Amino acid sequence: KAIRRQRQMCIRDSSIIWQRIRLQRSDGMVSKRNFFSIVIMMGILLFLFQFSLLMKDSENEYNKNDKLAQSGEDSASAWEADEVDLTGTVEAGSRYVIYIGSENEELKDTVSQWCLYTKNGMAEYAQVADCPELPEVLPQMIVLESGSYQTAEDIAKIRQMAEKGAGIVFSEVEQSVLAESEELAKLLGIEHIVAEETQISGIKIFEEFFLGGEVTYQAQNEQEAEENQDLNLNVPWYIPGSGTKVYMVGLMQGTDVKNENLPALIWRNAVGKGKVFAVCGNYLDSNTGIGILDGILTETQEYTIYPVVNAQNLSVVNFPGFASENNEVMEQMYSRTQVGVYRDILWPGLVAVSDQNNLKLTCFVMPQFNYLDGIEPDSNELIFYLKQFKEVGAEAGFSLEYIKGVSLADKIKRDGEFFASQNSTYRYGAAFVNEAKITGVLSLLSRPLLSDVTSIVCEYTEKRPVLSYCGESVVLQMATNDAVSHTYTEDLRMRSLQSALAYCNIMLDMQKISWPQTEADSWQVMYDKFSSNLNTYWKGFSGFSATTVSESDVRVRNFLNMDYQQERNGDMVSMHISGEPGYFILRTHGEEIADTSGAEWTKLEGNAWLIKAEKEDVTIELKKQELYYYLPE
């Protein structure tokens, strides 16, 4: 940026000088002395301008990936939960969750993954009747499948658990079960069942359940409905009574239904010392459920502190700027070759958007798409982009995608030969691959081109966890969002994962731009959507760190491998961290941080703080929020 400003100043000064020359010549007043002075000044400016460029170019160590840092952690040291046996002794300070159910594998996977991320053990039972009496050390949460409670005795046992102080979550509350059990309706705090199913126009999530504030998903016109609306709008209509708190409701457009009578989708009821939560719909059956469980946990305790990654990634995948393979189409659309399109149009746009949103680029390069067309990649383009990446603080990853022609092993071999022929020593720490090919890629990581890969990025899928070890020493950092698509369901998932993990990986796939099928695949259309989405939906999470994939790799490993213990005495919260210190989110109810020891903190919003642990032992002093009273004058 400093060099860019210096360049602009030189250009400005040069234009001023030439304007003076023209004015003086028009007046016939240019003396030899003045003209000689002007020429010397112009020469000095030209020298400074060229010298700065030469210095910048000579100091650009483009063949070195300074983002790559080997953490030394691998799956062998990943955190694993101890077996929880409720019939034995549960030690004080133990964190565990009880899951009751046997039919909903998606729900079980969500709870299991959430336990792994929050460092909770898990005890599992098929039916409520199978669960033993709760020990003195209560679980963090009890999650119930809809089919795990069948009898009046089951409902009575759940009530006893709640009265003892447990937080209980009912997943997918079914109207048919409620109709047969008045006691269950009372337990859930339901005052009135209006309809078994009703049509809503959208949903609203109230603030402080997720990070990022209150949000409403309701289309205002047909175009917005077509582009964004993908939520299930057929829901049961339950109205909770007094003593309950609602976190998410269905909206009904064009009706005079009062707010308190809107269909409740997530709410809680106080029962004795505990709290009973109800979730209508299958919101817990996917990765979105991870953040919902964190929001529920926050509502069951006076404060909550849990580990997070703190990494915001922008992954540009299939970046084919090295070979002009589709020139005919590119000339028609942009009046440039494919190489020119990437240099002159796409790359400046990517840099502008990343700067505007304070994000770092990870560009997953592919030397060529088509290995049978005889068009080979240009070595000059490789050097150009590696220098550009270094200048803007971006990282080069390697894309393992291709259109046609060869096997994956042959592609890696040919690409490796291309890089070797250019004496490129750049070490690629991240690779992008389609989820279905991950297993095959892991068997090829010994190849020289991929020997430094520590992180794999794939498109979003429910088939794998968002963050995990996919190999002995390789981390999977799944993309969480498509940069040019942002439906209501995708936004809900993004807010959930940001709240639970402080992590996102926005993926922009360039393949459609290079091989467009429709006008919607043009850069202008995709750029408008891409920049608009980043400027709109990620503003509420600016308190998290911008990283490249290799930079977040270290944080992900620390997150997966670490463990911690915490307790509170008075106003002091003490934590002991096993493993590398990392990041945590602290959420309270009306308390603020007064001071910390062994950690730094940043306020994210209202009652949420990002904690950066710097030592193994951390203390956090809390205080009540100050109340201000305004007296009349």
Side-chain angles (χ1 to χ4, degrees), residues 83-91 96 125 132-137:
E83 185 176 351
V84 179
D85 182 8
L86 299 185
T87 60
T89 301
V90 179
E91 296 182 1
Y96 69 99
Y125 303 94
E133 184 178 350
L134 297 182
E136 291 187 7
V137 179

Side-chain angles (χ1 to χ4, degrees), residues 54 74 90 191 204 207 280 309-310 316 329 412 420 440 445 599 618:
L54 290 172
D74 56 29
V90 179
E191 184 177 83
K204 181 177 182 178
E207 63 180 350
C280 291
V309 178
N310 186 27
V316 182
V329 175
I412 294 173
L445 291 183
V618 173

Side-chain angles (χ1 to χ4, degrees), residues 108-303:
K108 179 182 173 181
D109 289 344
T110 298
V111 176
S112 177
Q113 199 61 38
W114 179 72
C115 288
L116 182 67
Y117 292 156
T118 55
K119 317 302 176 183
N120 275 293
M122 184 168 139
E124 183 184 349
Y125 303 94
Q127 297 289 328
V128 169
D130 301 331
C131 184
E133 184 178 350
L134 297 182
E136 291 187 7
V137 179
L138 294 176
Q140 296 274 76
M141 189 183 297
I142 302 174
V143 181
L144 304 172
E145 277 187 22
S146 58
S148 64
Y149 43 91
Q150 303 290 335
T151 65
E153 288 76 13
D154 290 341
I155 304 303
K157 187 173 183 178
I158 295 172
R159 177 175 286 276
Q160 291 175 358
M161 292 176 174
E163 289 176 344
K164 193 171 182 178
I168 299 175
V169 180
F170 284 79
S171 172
E172 295 189 68
V173 179
E174 297 179 359
Q175 195 274 339
S176 59
V177 179
L178 285 171
E180 298 175 1
S181 176
E182 184 177 344
E183 284 302 314
L184 178 58
K186 289 181 179 179
L187 181 63
L188 295 172
I190 297 175
E191 184 177 83
H192 186 48
I193 300 176
V194 179
E196 182 176 351
E197 185 175 273
T198 189
Q199 181 79 19
I200 59 176
S201 59
I203 68 173
K204 181 177 182 178
I205 304 174
F206 297 103
E207 63 180 350
E208 295 191 355
F209 188 71
F210 288 140
L211 298 183
E214 185 176 280
V215 61
T216 298
Y217 302 120
Q218 187 176 39
Q220 300 302 312
N221 51 60
E222 292 185 4
Q223 180 180 354
E224 186 177 346
E226 182 179 351
E227 292 180 353
N228 299 334
Q229 175 54 53
D230 58 349
L231 297 168
N232 179 19
L233 300 181
N234 293 309
V235 301
W237 192 343
Y238 305 141
I239 299 178
S242 59
T244 62
K245 182 177 180 180
V246 178
Y247 305 99
M248 186 165 81
V249 297
L251 301 175
M252 308 188 75
Q253 200 168 36
T255 66
D256 56 356
V257 178
K258 296 181 179 179
N259 290 337
E260 60 269 22
N261 293 330
L262 290 170
L265 300 179
I266 300 179
W267 74 92
R268 79 160 193 227
N269 184 36
V271 178
K273 297 180 181 179
K275 295 181 174 66
V276 176
F277 293 80
V279 180
C280 291
N282 60 349
Y283 296 104
L284 294 179
D285 294 356
S286 65
N287 287 318
T288 300
I290 296 173
I292 293 177
L293 292 175
D294 272 314
I296 289 174
L297 183 65
T298 300
E299 290 296 309
T300 64
Q301 303 178 349
E302 62 176 350
Y303 74 96

Side-chain angles (χ1 to χ4, degrees), residues 14 104 190 205 285 289 399 462 527:
S14 300
N104 191 337
I190 297 175
I205 304 174
D285 294 356
S399 174
E462 292 290 346
Y527 179 82

Side-chain angles (χ1 to χ4, degrees), residues 38-97:
I38 291 171
V39 170
I40 292 177
M41 188 177 297
M42 288 295 296
I44 293 173
L45 288 173
L46 179 63
F47 172 77
L48 291 175
F49 181 75
Q50 294 294 335
F51 181 75
S52 65
L53 293 178
L54 290 172
M55 286 294 296
K56 179 188 70 172
D57 189 68
S58 63
E59 294 179 0
N60 189 327
E61 297 180 334
Y62 63 88
N63 256 334
K64 179 181 178 182
N65 185 359
D66 55 8
K67 310 296 182 184
L68 184 63
Q70 301 291 347
S71 67
E73 301 287 355
D74 56 29
S75 60
S77 54
W79 182 87
E80 293 182 357
D82 295 329
E83 185 176 351
V84 179
D85 182 8
L86 299 185
T87 60
T89 301
V90 179
E91 296 182 1
S94 297
R95 296 188 307 273
Y96 69 99
V97 170

